[in-house]
Amino acid sequence: PPNTCLVWDRGPAGDFVYGALATADDVTRETRYREFRAFDRQCRREGVLLCKLMFVTDRDAVAKTLGKRLAHKRIVMDLREWLD
């Protein structure tokens, strides 16, 4: 179909942090990463959009999560400046 969307309850990044892949050996993690990249490329070729839904149940928890993400982004930007 011309407009297709695939929705996951937790994306691959979450699986690497919170799921079984968090404690998997490096070979398994690298294999799963390559599998996801191949899947992602296939979806792009076929025009499938990957989506992440976020259901807000606790505003404070969401604020903490978003705050951490913004802080990480800022740290990375600073590191790039310092290392250049």
Side-chain angles (χ1 to χ4, degrees):
N3 297 310
T4 304
C5 177
L6 177 63
V7 179
W8 282 342
D9 63 340
R10 180 177 70 210
D15 290 337
F16 277 87
V17 176
Y18 304 110
L21 292 174
T23 56
D25 61 274
D26 289 342
V27 173
T28 301
R29 291 168 58 91
E30 289 174 15
T31 301
R32 294 298 172 266
Y33 176 73
R34 283 193 301 274
E35 288 172 356
F36 173 73
R37 294 295 300 149
F39 176 69
D40 183 54
R41 283 190 295 274
Q42 177 186 353
C43 287
R44 287 175 189 236
R45 281 193 305 270
E46 295 177 9
V48 176
L49 174 66
L50 295 177
C51 290
K52 170 77 172 159
L53 296 180
M54 186 166 81
F55 296 97
V56 178
T57 58
D58 180 351
R59 290 183 191 178
D60 292 333
V62 172
K64 288 177 188 173
T65 298
L66 294 177
K68 286 183 215 172
R69 289 182 182 171
L70 290 173
H72 290 159
K73 183 177 181 181
R74 183 64 200 171
I75 290 168
V76 169
M77 289 168 52
D78 287 345
L79 284 173
R80 286 183 178 160
E81 284 181 25
W82 297 336
L83 295 174
D84 283 345

